[in-house]
Amino acid sequence: DRLRAAEDKRVADRLQENIASDLRTTIGINDKFLFINELFDGNMRVYDETVQKLNICTTIAQADLLLLDLKIVYNWDSESPTVRKFVELVRRKF
Protein backbone atom coordinates (compact mmCIF):
# COMPACT_ATOMS: atom_id res chain seq x y z
CA ASP A 1 0.00 0.00 0.00
CA ARG A 2 2.80 2.42 0.86
CA LEU A 3 4.53 1.70 -2.46
CA ARG A 4 1.30 2.20 -4.33
CA ALA A 5 0.68 5.54 -2.55
CA ALA A 6 4.21 6.68 -3.35
CA GLU A 7 3.80 5.64 -6.99
CA ASP A 8 0.42 7.40 -7.26
CA LYS A 9 1.97 10.53 -5.80
CA ARG A 10 4.77 10.46 -8.32
CA VAL A 11 2.30 10.07 -11.18
CA ALA A 12 0.21 12.95 -9.81
CA ASP A 13 3.33 15.11 -9.50
CA ARG A 14 4.28 14.33 -13.09
CA LEU A 15 0.80 15.21 -14.34
CA GLN A 16 0.91 18.49 -12.44
CA GLU A 17 4.25 19.37 -14.00
CA ASN A 18 3.23 18.53 -17.58
CA ILE A 19 3.79 21.35 -19.98
CA ALA A 20 0.62 22.67 -21.57
CA SER A 21 1.39 23.00 -25.26
CA ASP A 22 -2.06 24.35 -26.20
CA LEU A 23 -3.99 26.43 -23.70
CA ARG A 24 -7.29 25.76 -25.49
CA THR A 25 -7.09 22.08 -24.59
CA THR A 26 -5.52 22.68 -21.17
CA ILE A 27 -8.24 25.00 -19.89
CA GLY A 28 -11.34 23.04 -18.96
CA ILE A 29 -14.85 24.17 -19.91
CA ASN A 30 -15.71 25.36 -16.39
CA ASP A 31 -12.50 27.36 -16.10
CA LYS A 32 -13.02 28.78 -19.58
CA PHE A 33 -16.38 30.27 -18.64
CA LEU A 34 -15.02 31.40 -15.27
CA PHE A 35 -12.20 33.25 -17.04
CA ILE A 36 -14.52 34.74 -19.67
CA ASN A 37 -16.96 36.03 -17.08
CA GLU A 38 -14.55 37.20 -14.38
CA LEU A 39 -11.46 38.23 -16.32
CA PHE A 40 -12.71 39.29 -19.75
CA ASP A 41 -16.00 41.00 -18.79
CA GLY A 42 -18.01 38.24 -20.47
CA ASN A 43 -16.38 38.79 -23.86
CA MET A 44 -15.70 35.37 -25.41
CA ARG A 45 -14.09 36.85 -28.51
CA VAL A 46 -11.44 38.70 -26.49
CA TYR A 47 -10.81 35.56 -24.41
CA ASP A 48 -10.33 33.45 -27.57
CA GLU A 49 -8.00 36.04 -29.12
CA THR A 50 -5.99 36.22 -25.91
CA VAL A 51 -5.59 32.45 -25.70
CA GLN A 52 -4.46 32.40 -29.35
CA LYS A 53 -1.87 35.11 -28.64
CA LEU A 54 -0.66 33.24 -25.55
CA ASN A 55 -0.34 30.02 -27.56
CA ILE A 56 1.87 31.84 -30.06
CA CYS A 57 4.22 33.16 -27.36
CA THR A 58 7.55 31.36 -27.42
CA THR A 59 8.94 32.64 -24.13
CA ILE A 60 7.59 33.27 -20.66
CA ALA A 61 8.69 36.90 -21.02
CA GLN A 62 6.37 37.40 -24.01
CA ALA A 63 3.49 35.80 -22.12
CA ASP A 64 4.21 37.92 -19.02
CA LEU A 65 4.07 41.12 -21.11
CA LEU A 66 0.71 40.09 -22.54
CA LEU A 67 -0.58 39.19 -19.06
CA LEU A 68 0.62 42.55 -17.73
CA ASP A 69 -1.30 44.35 -20.49
CA LEU A 70 -4.40 42.34 -19.63
CA LYS A 71 -4.05 43.15 -15.93
CA ILE A 72 -3.95 46.85 -16.77
CA VAL A 73 -6.78 46.84 -19.33
CA TYR A 74 -9.16 44.70 -17.26
CA ASN A 75 -7.98 45.93 -13.85
CA TRP A 76 -7.18 42.43 -12.63
CA ASP A 77 -6.36 41.95 -8.96
CA SER A 78 -3.16 39.88 -8.88
CA GLU A 79 -4.30 38.30 -5.60
CA SER A 80 -7.60 37.07 -7.07
CA PRO A 81 -7.85 33.25 -7.14
CA THR A 82 -9.20 33.42 -10.70
CA VAL A 83 -6.28 35.56 -11.90
CA ARG A 84 -3.82 33.29 -10.13
CA LYS A 85 -5.37 30.21 -11.73
CA PHE A 86 -5.24 31.77 -15.21
CA VAL A 87 -1.63 32.87 -14.80
CA GLU A 88 -0.67 29.43 -13.45
CA LEU A 89 -2.19 27.72 -16.49
CA VAL A 90 -0.37 30.12 -18.82
CA ARG A 91 2.95 29.50 -17.06
CA ARG A 92 2.50 25.73 -17.42
CA LYS A 93 2.96 26.32 -21.14
CA PHE A 94 6.64 27.16 -20.61
Side-chain angles (χ1 to χ4, degrees), residues 29-41:
I29 191 77
N30 291 335
D31 286 337
K32 176 181 176 176
F33 285 106
L34 174 71
F35 298 150
I36 289 169
N37 290 323
E38 290 192 19
L39 302 182
F40 295 93
D41 296 332

Side-chain angles (χ1 to χ4, degrees), residues 13-90:
D13 289 341
R14 277 189 251 139
L15 288 174
Q16 184 73 4
E17 294 172 358
N18 281 345
I19 294 176
S21 60
D22 185 354
L23 291 173
R24 290 174 297 183
T25 58
T26 302
I27 298 172
I29 191 77
N30 291 335
D31 286 337
K32 176 181 176 176
F33 285 106
L34 174 71
F35 298 150
I36 289 169
N37 290 323
E38 290 192 19
L39 302 182
F40 295 93
D41 296 332
N43 193 330
M44 185 179 286
R45 182 184 55 79
V46 173
Y47 166 82
D48 287 335
E49 290 172 358
T50 300
V51 170
Q52 279 183 325
K53 288 177 185 177
L54 288 166
N55 274 332
I56 294 171
C57 292
T58 56
T59 66
I60 189 74
Q62 289 175 333
D64 281 342
L65 283 174
L66 182 56
L67 289 171
L68 181 61
D69 287 343
L70 291 167
K71 286 179 183 179
I72 293 168
V73 169
Y74 291 101
N75 198 26
W76 289 355
D77 175 11
S78 296
E79 299 302 314
S80 161
T82 306
V83 171
R84 284 182 171 181
K85 188 172 197 173
F86 186 73
V87 170
E88 179 183 319
L89 287 169
V90 170

